[in-house]
Amino acid sequence: MLVLVAAHLVCAAVLPLLPVRTGRAVWVIAAVPPLATFWWALLWARRVLDGEVLRQELSWAPSLGLGLDFRLDPLALLLVLVVSGIGVLVIAYASAYDSEDAGRQAGLLTGFAGLMLGLVTADNLFVLYVFWELTTIASFLLIAGRRPSTERRRAAEQSLLTTVAGGLAMLLGLVMLGQAGGTYRISALIADPPSGGVVPAALVLLLVGAFTKSAQYPFHSWLPAAMVAPTPVSAYLHAAAMVKAGVYLVARFAPGFADEAVWRPLVLGVGLGSMVFGAWHALRENDLKRILAFATVSELGMLIALFGAGTRTAVLGGAVMLLAHALFKSSLFMVTGLIDHETGTRDLRRLSGLGRRMPVVLVVAVLAAASMAGLPPFIGYVGEDAAFDGYLNDHLPGGAWALLWFFVASTLTVTLAARFVWGAFARKPGVPDREPGPTPWGLLWPAAVPAVLGLLLGVWPSLTGHLTEPWADVFHGTAHESYHVTLWHGLSFTLLLALATFALGGALHAVRGRVIALQRRLPRPPDGQFVYRQTVRGTVGLAVRVTRFLQVGSLPAYLTVVLATVVLLTAGALFVGASPIGDVPLWQSVSEVPPALIVLACAVAVAMTRQRLAAVLLTGAVGYGVAVLFVVRGAPDLALTQFLVETLTLVVTALVLRRLPPRFTPEPQRLNSRWTRGVVAVATGAVVTVLALVATHARAPSSRRPDYTGRVHETGAENAVNAIIVEFRALDTIGEISVLMITTVGVLSLVRVWGGAGAEPKGSRAAAGPGGPPPAAREPSAERSPAARWDAPREQWLPGAGERPGTERSVLLEVMTRALFSSIVVLSLFLLFSGHYGPGGGFAGGLVAGQAFVLRYLVGGQADLGLATPTDPNRVLGGGLVIAAVVALVPVAFGHAPLTASVWHLTAPVLGEVHMSTSVFFDIGVYLLVVGVILKLLGAASVVAGDPDRAPAGEGAAL
């Protein structure tokens, strides 16, 4: 199952990259994964339907209970057959349909099929949710298109917002349910369902997600709006795939939770209400696709009501109707697309005489509509008979009312089926006949196959029952378990109900004029579109008002609010549940006192200074003082890293400050006053101090924590810090360097967006005067005093030195930088390779190499930096991450867990005996990534400082 899902997604990623000249070959490739899935499901069908369950598990984080768990049972098998089978037909239909950007649409349809496959086979709540939301994103992309019109964009946004909101509610319900049951495995929750406590609330949230996904009232309006999408999209997503996800969710959890008090009132009330209102609303529409859309809302309500009933016969009717609905609704959508393709309209008021000119299409439409209306011997009748029997004989609470609503909705569905066939193919007085061209075979046969299958499965009820009854047999304890799928149950009350729906539905269509007039006089059914628009408008208005109040354009004000919130929440938690601190020694040795006093003095000075550069330097002094404390406490690795980070931060910050005013100029705001900031700062410091002390003293001697220092010998290392980073917690390191890379690229992208190539910050020209140089190039004191530039070079002997004004250059610095550059790089390599046995490692080595590149940039600008690193910084950055990831995955090929390292020994001619671990290659990836990050940051500093035109080759292209 995992391989099939991956095959879909890989194919979806490749298809948009294929050249346009491949033509229909794109669609052939797109059909391969769903076709393979369909045959795979058929091969497993007999074993699964006989009671065998196929499971597949891939552990991700076993200690956290996280893994990719998949399960194929009768319900999942039925959905897999529907999703993959209809997927193949829709892809074949789309290949003959006029569609722009075939590669993108083929890729999205194939990817969507893979996501639905993952959704219906997932056996983990979180895996289910991931696929749930990914189908929402794929649906958004399919509805919107590459160059969406305003109408398509709005429809896609409505679909996204509605289903994502329901998905978030569902996520909360899934978490609550998993916590209550003690497991996040779906099969385990169903086998031993929790009860009481938060379970009712969790089920309500779960059903909200199902209702939004399956377009149930009052969340239904996104589905009719989505009819602006191309017909292949509607035939797949809105007939057989996406909208079935909510139905599947109800069917999956019904065996365990149908007897909960909140379950049946919700599923029956919302499902049957949507069934009636959707069918009634469909009778008002004149667009064939919108008729089918509201009919889909109605039929999805029927499926939810049947599966949610939680009794064997009702669930059996739901399973048969799920299969029937996928067949007849996909066929009718494709017929509608064919009519639109050939006539240019879907308005039944403008269609006339198509039955004579498109007789084969008429036959296909009649077959599908007959199954939709529940006429015998079609599969729709088989499912409807089981549904009537379930509501009549399963002794459901409120079963009489449910039977009445189901009867009314079934009658309206018969009217809808007749209205569709009449509206599309009948000759209408006063309407000129349409003259369509020859019917395209490529559009006809995909629509005909599901229509014919609807008839075949009706006259072959044993096959239908073999596919659907195993899931219904999961529901035990009903009073009517002897029901089986067949066309003829003899004379019964359910047969009379079915005949009554045919007669009344036909009569309503015969007097359709009066029905429409009655609809105009009666109040309109609930309009979800109006509610959605008002909700969006109100949310946007609220956001504007809140933004005007909170977004005042002051970073100190933002920090004040954030830190005050942290203080309040953390202080409250400390007061409620903090353990006693006990005795706190002020120091462990007298040597800690001098650096601690320096740190305190510099921190006080930072709060008092009004000079930006002075504040930065004093903040750096605080960091250097903390590094000295690390040295005193015997943590050289931490001290080295602290020194390097502080140095790099100082340089980059100083470069940025060149474009800012020299003094702080706070605006007079309430949240920005010195007293407010002072109180918040003191409170933050106090809370952080207390939190650190509480956390330190909360460590009980008997608490379970990894004994890393006792296991360092297993890695062949002598430096415990490095061993933890690249051995024991290597997965954390991969996550951290990934975040570092993403943050760097994001920050640099924002710099490019706001600054642009060669852009100057606002106010720089005003400060320089008309035609004058920017402030960074003007140094009046240096111009007045020749002694201030005694060492400024007379000639430009260093490449790129011309980027700096003469008063910013120093021949001493230029010579020393060129002389020391290679030595600093060698030192960084020494720290890289010695980190397993002493202070150093990939991160520290990368920072040291970064200092060398910073020096080259300071004396020679981007041109000299480009000579020092004649490669694209993006390659260095990405290459480091790729190396670390590859090293992490190589052990899997040899049957070991990811990130497993091995120690090896060799004897070199000069070096002698060398002890090494394969984790050194992981450290090399970290080293390269850190160097790449620094090079990217220097590029950002050059943009802010006004040097973007001299960025190294490739730096701007990736941004």
Side-chain angles (χ1 to χ4, degrees):
M1 287 174 279
L2 183 59
V3 173
L4 289 172
V5 173
H8 280 82
L9 299 182
V10 170
C11 184
V14 170
L15 286 174
L17 304 178
L18 296 180
V20 179
R21 61 178 177 272
T22 54
R24 292 196 176 185
V26 170
W27 297 103
V28 175
I29 299 173
V32 171
L35 184 61
T37 302
F38 185 78
W39 284 112
W40 171 82
L42 288 180
L43 292 175
W44 274 92
R46 179 176 294 277
R47 297 167 63 179
V48 172
L49 295 174
D50 287 342
E52 182 177 351
V53 176
L54 174 63
R55 293 182 175 87
Q56 188 173 4
E57 302 175 3
L58 179 63
S59 296
W60 176 26
S63 60
L64 300 177
L66 299 179
L68 298 177
D69 303 322
F70 296 93
R71 186 173 186 266
L72 186 69
D73 61 4
L75 177 63
L77 175 68
L78 181 62
L79 267 297
V80 169
L81 290 172
V82 167
V83 169
S84 58
I86 301 299
V88 172
L89 294 175
V90 169
I91 290 174
Y93 179 87
S95 66
Y97 198 84
D98 292 337
S99 58
E100 60 177 11
D101 200 359
R104 177 182 181 273
Q105 188 166 341
L108 285 174
L109 285 173
T110 304
F112 190 89
L115 296 174
M116 282 298 301
L117 172 63
L119 190 153
V120 300
T121 57
D123 194 31
N124 182 282
L125 296 179
F126 293 125
V127 176
L128 171 70
Y129 175 75
V130 169
F131 282 110
W132 183 281
E133 293 299 349
L134 288 176
T135 58
T136 296
I137 296 173
S139 173
F140 169 81
L141 296 174
L142 282 167
I143 296 173
R146 181 180 291 275
R147 291 178 292 275
S149 61
T150 302
E151 188 178 11
R152 288 187 65 174
R153 185 183 71 250
R154 289 177 178 173
E157 290 175 354
Q158 182 174 356
S159 169
L160 182 71
L161 292 176
T162 304
T163 53
V164 165
L168 291 175
M170 185 190 77
L171 175 61
L172 179 58
L174 293 176
V175 173
M176 294 166 63
L177 203 60
Q179 289 294 108
T183 178
Y184 288 96
R185 188 181 291 271
I186 298 175
S187 56
L189 283 172
I190 302 303
D192 185 18
S195 60
V198 299
V199 172
L203 293 178
V204 171
L205 295 171
L206 192 77
L207 292 175
V208 168
F211 296 155
T212 55
K213 198 77 164 184
S214 289
Q216 296 298 281
Y217 277 80
F219 313 109
H220 69 286
S221 59
W222 70 265
L223 182 57
M227 292 301 106
V228 298
T231 299
V233 175
S234 301
Y236 192 35
L237 273 66
H238 307 137
M242 177 181 174
V243 292
K244 291 290 196 304
V247 174
Y248 165 78
L249 194 71
V250 173
R252 173 58 69 194
F253 286 91
F257 300 99
D259 293 328
E260 288 288 334
V262 300
W263 181 272
R264 285 194 178 95
L266 273 176
V267 293
L268 293 178
V270 174
L272 293 173
S274 299
M275 189 178 180
V276 173
F277 286 122
W280 180 253
H281 204 146
L283 294 176
R284 305 177 66 99
E285 299 294 333
N286 296 309
D287 185 292
L288 293 179
K289 281 187 73 173
R290 288 184 63 84
I291 291 175
L292 295 178
F294 280 103
T296 300
V297 173
S298 173
E299 288 141 3
L300 292 173
M302 170 189 62
L303 294 176
I304 284 179
L306 290 173
F307 279 114
T311 59
R312 181 185 178 277
T313 310
V315 170
L316 178 59
V320 176
M321 288 305 299
L322 184 147
L323 183 58
H325 178 264
L327 294 174
F328 68 69
K329 191 53 64 72
S330 60
S331 177
L332 290 176
F333 268 116
M334 286 188 273
V335 166
T336 301
L338 194 156
I339 293 173
D340 189 16
H341 185 273
E342 295 302 308
T343 64
T345 182
R346 302 191 304 260
D347 193 335
L348 59 81
R349 295 168 298 185
R350 299 172 58 189
L351 294 171
S352 180
L354 288 184
R356 293 184 178 182
R357 290 167 175 78
M358 306 175 74
V360 180
V361 180
L362 172 62
V363 172
V364 172
V366 168
L367 291 176
S371 182
M372 175 180 170
L375 296 176
F378 294 89
I379 186 175
Y381 168 76
V382 176
E384 186 179 84
D385 183 79
F388 276 132
D389 194 280
Y391 285 133
L392 185 65
N393 298 315
D394 279 353
H395 305 295
L396 281 169
W401 285 103
L403 180 64
L404 176 62
W405 280 81
F406 189 85
F407 175 80
V408 173
S410 299
T411 301
L412 294 177
T413 302
V414 174
T415 307
L416 279 179
R419 178 175 174 79
F420 179 88
V421 175
W422 169 84
F425 298 98
R427 173 172 288 176
K428 304 177 183 66
V431 180
D433 289 355
R434 289 279 171 172
E435 300 291 340
T439 302
W441 174 249
L443 297 179
L444 180 59
W445 77 263
V449 169
V452 173
L453 284 176
L455 176 61
L456 177 63
L457 292 175
V459 299
W460 194 358
S462 59
L463 176 60
T464 305
H466 196 59
L467 287 173
T468 55
E469 287 184 4
W471 177 247
D473 291 338
V474 173
F475 296 82
H476 299 292
T478 61
H480 197 66
E481 295 185 359
S482 61
Y483 186 93
H484 295 284
V485 174
T486 184
L487 262 177
W488 177 251
H489 288 281
L491 295 176
S492 62
F493 187 64
T494 59
L495 176 62
L496 294 178
L497 289 175
L499 294 176
T501 60
F502 306 151
L504 291 177
L508 286 176
H509 177 67
V511 294
R512 56 186 173 275
R514 297 181 181 178
V515 172
I516 294 174
L518 176 63
Q519 282 185 319
R520 291 174 179 172
R521 290 194 298 269
L522 292 176
R524 292 179 63 90
D527 189 355
Q529 191 69 20
F530 173 78
V531 174
Y532 167 78
R533 290 174 180 171
Q534 291 299 112
T535 302
V536 171
R537 187 177 293 112
T539 303
V540 173
L542 178 63
V544 170
R545 289 191 291 270
V546 171
T547 302
R548 287 174 180 172
F549 177 76
L550 295 179
Q551 299 298 320
V552 294
S554 171
L555 181 58
Y558 300 155
L559 288 175
T560 300
V561 174
V562 171
L563 293 177
T565 303
V566 171
V567 167
L568 292 175
L569 295 179
T570 308
L574 289 175
F575 281 125
V576 171
S579 57
I581 296 176
D583 296 331
V584 179
L586 296 180
W587 58 77
Q588 293 185 356
S589 67
V590 180
S591 58
E592 298 175 9
V593 176
L597 293 177
I598 293 174
V599 168
L600 293 174
C602 292
V604 173
V606 169
M608 298 179 63
T609 184
R610 296 192 177 185
Q611 297 287 336
R612 294 181 186 271
L613 185 58
V616 171
L617 294 176
L618 289 170
T619 304
V622 173
Y624 287 131
V626 172
V628 173
L629 284 173
F630 287 150
V631 173
V632 174
R633 295 299 300 270
D637 280 279
L638 297 180
L640 177 61
T641 304
Q642 181 76 10
F643 276 120
L644 295 172
V645 170
E646 286 296 337
T647 303
L648 181 63
T649 304
L650 278 175
V651 173
V652 175
T653 307
L655 290 174
V656 174
L657 289 181
R658 295 168 62 195
R659 287 290 183 173
L660 294 176
R663 296 174 63 87
F664 291 111
T665 54
E667 298 179 1
Q669 298 176 357
R670 284 179 295 177
L671 290 179
N672 212 15
S673 66
R674 295 179 64 88
W675 281 104
T676 303
R677 285 180 289 160
V679 171
V680 172
V682 172
T684 303
V687 167
V688 170
T689 302
V690 174
L691 181 62
L693 294 174
V694 169
T696 303
H697 286 78
R699 297 176 180 174
S702 60
S703 62
R704 297 181 58 186
R705 59 180 182 268
D707 184 17
Y708 293 134
T709 56
R711 300 179 58 189
V712 169
H713 65 279
E714 298 177 9
T715 66
E718 297 176 7
N719 183 0
V721 175
N722 186 262
I724 291 173
I725 292 175
V726 301
E727 299 273 2
F728 301 118
R729 305 301 297 268
L731 181 62
D732 293 347
T733 303
I734 285 184
E736 291 163 1
I737 62 177
S738 301
V739 171
L740 181 62
M741 184 191 73
I742 294 171
T743 304
T744 303
V745 174
V747 169
L748 216 60
S749 300
L750 290 176
V751 170
R752 293 284 183 179
V753 168
W754 289 103
E760 291 184 0
K762 184 178 179 181
S764 62
R765 290 190 177 273
R778 295 181 63 193
E779 296 190 15
S781 60
E783 294 296 333
R784 290 195 300 267
S785 174
R789 45 196 178 95
W790 62 271
D791 66 337
R794 305 288 182 179
E795 298 179 1
Q796 296 181 6
W797 65 276
L798 186 64
E803 297 181 23
R804 300 286 184 248
T807 54
E808 290 188 4
R809 296 176 58 200
S810 169
V811 67
L812 179 62
L813 184 59
E814 292 175 5
V815 172
M816 292 299 296
T817 296
R818 182 57 64 95
L820 293 176
F821 177 77
S822 300
S823 300
I824 299 175
V825 173
V826 170
L827 174 62
S828 72
L829 294 175
F830 171 79
L831 292 173
L832 166 64
F833 290 106
S834 66
H836 223 51
Y837 304 99
F843 191 74
L847 289 175
V848 171
Q851 309 298 334
F853 296 123
V854 168
L855 284 175
R856 293 293 291 265
Y857 171 76
L858 290 176
V859 301
Q862 288 285 8
D864 192 45
L865 184 61
L867 290 176
T869 55
T871 185
D872 186 353
N874 298 299
R875 296 179 181 177
V876 180
L877 182 69
L881 184 62
V882 169
I883 291 175
V886 169
V887 172
L889 296 176
V890 164
V892 178
F894 296 93
H896 300 288
L899 292 166
T900 300
S902 60
V903 181
W904 43 276
H905 310 275
L906 57 87
T907 302
V910 178
L911 300 177
E913 187 176 357
V914 177
H915 305 274
M916 192 67 67
S917 171
T918 55
S919 60
V920 71
F921 300 104
F922 182 85
D923 234 2
I924 291 174
V926 176
Y927 175 92
L928 292 175
L929 186 137
V930 172
V931 171
V933 166
I934 293 173
L935 294 176
K936 300 283 283 184
L937 290 177
L938 291 176
S942 68
V943 173
V944 177
D947 301 334
D949 295 334
R950 299 177 177 85
E955 179 68 25
L959 298 176

